[in-house]
Amino acid sequence: MDEKIAPHLEELTRALGDLEKTGIRGEFEKLIAFRVPPDVAKESILRKFGRNRVLKVKDLSANLRNLELTGRIMDLGEKSIRPREGAQEGPYKLYTGVLADETGSVLFSSWKELPGSIGDVINVKNAYIRVWQNRINFSIGKQSLVSKVSDSVLPPLSELSGSQPKKLIDIGNADFSVDTVVCVLQLSHREVLVKGRQARVITGVFADETGRLPFTAWIELPGIDIGSIIRIKGAQVRIFRGMPSVNILSSTKVSLVGPEEARKLAFTFESAAKDPIPIKIEEIDSRDSIFDVAAVGNVVSVRPGSGIITRCPECSRVIQKGNCRVHGKVEGMRDMRIKAILDDGTGSMSVMFPRDLVESIYGKTLEEAEQLMFSDVSKDVVYEDLRRFLTGRYLAVRGNSSKGEYGISFVAEKAWVPDNDLEVRVVELLRRLGPDEEDGQDRNSQVSGGGIELA
Ligand SMILES: [Zn+2]
């Protein structure tokens, strides 16, 4: 193992300095102990402790630290924060507002007075991202370095404030306000609890020629239904299950796009409503999250924790020995799931299959799997059976992907064996003929050598 991690430690030392002194070596070893492959562990450490990754607004996502951003102050306000009872310091002032660059705008908060006001361009180093009320907040802390920079590095205020229409693929978790033209693919009314009160919301899915995103409308949308093509101005982005969701509020302007104008768009309802064509895992890996995407590959391993599990009836957490870590002793509910690594030669990702998909792929219902469990002395009998059954299988999956600290996690909503699927076979053929096959194989061997394969 040491031979495999030594080059990563050297690289980390070059990037971050003395690993022992900063405690980073310990962090790295903790990840290795959790069987995180060394290259993934290195990336994760670099993300967490790397010095000042220079980013644009569109690249901001949860859990980033030590980042550098140059933005124009679009809005700025201040509030006094009363110190906690008995605190030595304070009162504090918190400065909040919106920063923008040519890729988007983001909410910020600062514990420091800024060296500029509305309209000025500032450069911030050592900033971090906080998620507050499901929104990305660019946070300027006491350790951050803020300086005013030349006005000419960014487009003028007037250009940045009239937010330009974005394609769905370009909408990121950080976007403070977006304009877009989309068609409504799915739409339904729901009752939700907001601060203890019932509220009626509309939820659904938008699509354009670049992709799909979920949306929530907190207002009525008269005249708008599935198939409508609409223009949205000033929608907010919130994070929902790790991916951006478009929120339509009372301040958002929504209007129908007329048939004349709709003809000039690069999509129609029919084209946008087509099932997604499988893409390479490499491409999925290059994005923070993708909503409703498909991929095909081979199951290279079935992870422990697959098979029959028990959940807390209150919070659905997986529990051990009838004890939920939040609700204590509970009457657990049986469930079945698979966590598998799918690999298509360009990359690999962890795919979670919920019970209904497990039942259809595995060909056994939860009850039948329970029978198997009770008939055997080994408590891992279902997991072992799933491993034998699934490992090496060629599978297509459709669902949502989001990137966490340990790589992509993909939650499948559909899964099928793609033997008669022409599109899938074409993709597979292209992959085999593709020039990057060698590359892919290299990565394969690295992944399995790095500890993803479990004995
Ligand atoms: Zn619980």
Side-chain angles (χ1 to χ4, degrees):
M1 199 60 173
D2 275 345
E3 252 168 57
K4 269 176 198 140
I5 67 171
H8 297 298
L9 285 174
E10 275 165 33
E11 194 182 327
L12 285 173
T13 306
R14 273 196 303 276
L16 306 172
D18 190 336
L19 301 182
E20 306 289 343
K21 220 197 264 173
T22 49
I24 290 174
R25 167 112 198 199
E27 295 273 337
F28 183 78
E29 277 164 359
K30 226 187 288 169
L31 294 177
I32 299 295
F34 280 119
R35 290 177 175 267
V36 174
D39 54 335
V40 177
K42 177 191 72 193
E43 288 301 319
S44 157
I45 294 279
L46 281 174
R47 261 203 306 278
K48 205 163 164 192
F49 300 101
R51 294 276 174 269
N52 291 311
R53 283 176 70 201
V54 182
L55 294 178
K56 290 285 180 189
V57 169
K58 72 169 169 51
D59 302 316
L60 300 179
S61 60
N63 305 319
L64 288 174
R65 298 168 65 122
N66 300 101
L67 54 101
E68 176 174 347
L69 182 85
T70 298
R72 195 181 286 280
I73 304 171
M74 309 297 287
D75 191 21
L76 180 63
E78 63 172 73
K79 46 184 160 186
S80 293
I81 306 284
R82 257 182 301 156
R84 241 170 296 159
E85 204 78 41
Q88 301 282 307
E89 299 156 64
Y92 297 105
K93 267 192 179 151
L94 182 67
Y95 301 86
T96 59
V98 177
L99 271 181
D101 65 15
E102 63 278 26
T103 70
S105 54
V106 63
L107 286 170
F108 77 86
S109 61
S110 174
W111 292 104
K112 295 181 131 177
E113 192 169 352
L114 301 179
S117 54
I118 292 177
D120 289 335
V121 180
I122 55 170
N123 170 274
V124 187
K125 292 185 172 72
N126 282 345
Y128 58 98
I129 297 295
R130 209 159 46 91
V131 177
W132 192 67
Q133 292 186 336
N134 294 323
R135 302 195 75 185
I136 293 277
N137 191 290
F138 179 77
S139 302
I140 303 169
K142 300 238 163 62
Q143 322 302 324
S144 306
L145 300 166
V146 191
S147 57
K148 195 170 152 180
V149 295
S150 158
D151 193 72
S152 59
V153 299
L154 285 177
L157 188 67
S158 57
E159 242 171 75
L160 291 173
S161 58
S163 53
Q164 297 145 343
K166 279 190 170 186
K167 292 293 174 195
L168 292 179
I169 198 172
D170 296 320
I171 293 178
N173 276 331
D175 273 308
F176 166 68
S177 171
V178 288
D179 296 358
T180 185
V181 174
V182 293
C183 88
V184 180
L185 215 55
Q186 288 170 27
L187 178 150
S188 57
H189 294 263
R190 289 198 313 157
E191 297 275 333
V192 293
L193 271 181
V194 182
K195 289 177 187 155
R197 273 213 243 142
Q198 286 282 329
R200 228 165 100 88
V201 298
I202 301 171
T203 61
V205 177
F206 287 147
D208 67 10
E209 76 276 21
T210 67
R212 295 169 186 196
L213 281 183
F215 77 88
T216 302
W218 300 87
I219 53 170
E220 295 289 323
L221 297 174
I224 291 167
D225 209 337
I226 292 170
S228 298
I229 293 183
I230 56 175
R231 167 172 285 109
I232 299 163
K233 285 188 168 195
Q236 270 192 6
V237 174
R238 293 187 191 159
I239 307 170
F240 177 68
R241 292 184 186 149
M243 63 192 67
S245 140
V246 178
N247 276 255
I248 297 172
L249 314 173
S250 54
S251 58
T252 310
K253 290 195 177 71
V254 182
S255 57
L256 280 164
V257 169
E260 188 99 338
E261 197 191 337
R263 268 196 290 278
K264 293 182 199 136
L265 295 172
F267 63 91
T268 60
F269 173 67
E270 288 70 28
S271 71
K274 280 207 178 102
D275 285 348
I277 294 172
I279 63 172
K280 290 183 173 183
I281 292 174
E282 176 180 55
E283 199 178 323
I284 295 176
D285 192 31
S286 72
R287 304 256 305 274
D288 266 351
S289 66
I290 311 183
F291 179 77
D292 198 4
V293 62
V296 283
N298 291 93
V299 174
V300 294
S301 86
V302 176
R303 310 297 310 266
S306 299
I308 294 179
I309 51 169
T310 312
R311 292 188 187 278
C312 168
E314 306 257 340
C315 64
S316 291
R317 281 185 178 83
V318 176
I319 59 173
Q320 309 288 345
K321 298 190 177 105
N323 255 311
C324 170
R325 78 183 146 88
V326 176
H327 299 99
K329 202 112 196 104
V330 288
E331 191 66 42
M333 287 162 25
R334 288 257 163 73
D335 192 9
M336 193 156 61
R337 70 170 179 194
I338 298 171
K339 294 200 280 185
I341 305 294
L342 196 73
D343 191 311
D344 72 351
T346 72
S348 64
M349 61 182 186
S350 166
V351 182
M352 166 76 81
F353 299 85
R355 174 181 165 184
D356 57 330
L357 292 185
V358 178
E359 290 182 330
S360 74
I361 303 168
Y362 183 35
K364 284 193 175 78
T365 62
L366 173 60
E367 291 71 27
E368 286 165 337
E370 279 177 331
Q371 290 300 316
L372 183 63
M373 181 171 71
F374 296 139
S375 72
D376 200 287
V377 280
S378 157
K379 68 178 176 52
D380 290 333
V381 60
V382 175
Y383 166 61
E384 291 301 336
D385 195 39
L386 274 172
R387 268 190 61 186
R388 266 192 306 272
F389 180 79
L390 266 182
T391 307
R393 263 184 208 249
Y394 191 54
L395 269 189
V397 291
R398 178 175 168 182
N400 304 325
S401 82
S402 62
K403 220 188 238 173
E405 259 193 88
Y406 309 125
I408 321 170
S409 88
F410 190 103
V411 179
E413 291 188 348
K414 286 190 180 140
W416 64 98
V417 178
D419 49 358
N420 292 319
D421 190 325
L422 181 66
E423 271 164 2
V424 168
R425 271 191 292 162
V426 170
V427 169
E428 169 63 6
L429 191 64
L430 288 175
R431 181 177 77 78
R432 270 192 243 146
L433 297 174
D436 47 17
E437 179 170 49
E438 263 180 353
D439 199 10
Q441 280 182 342
D442 277 344
R443 205 164 323 178
N444 262 350
S445 56
Q446 245 180 35
V447 165
S448 44
I452 265 191
E453 280 298 347
L454 293 157

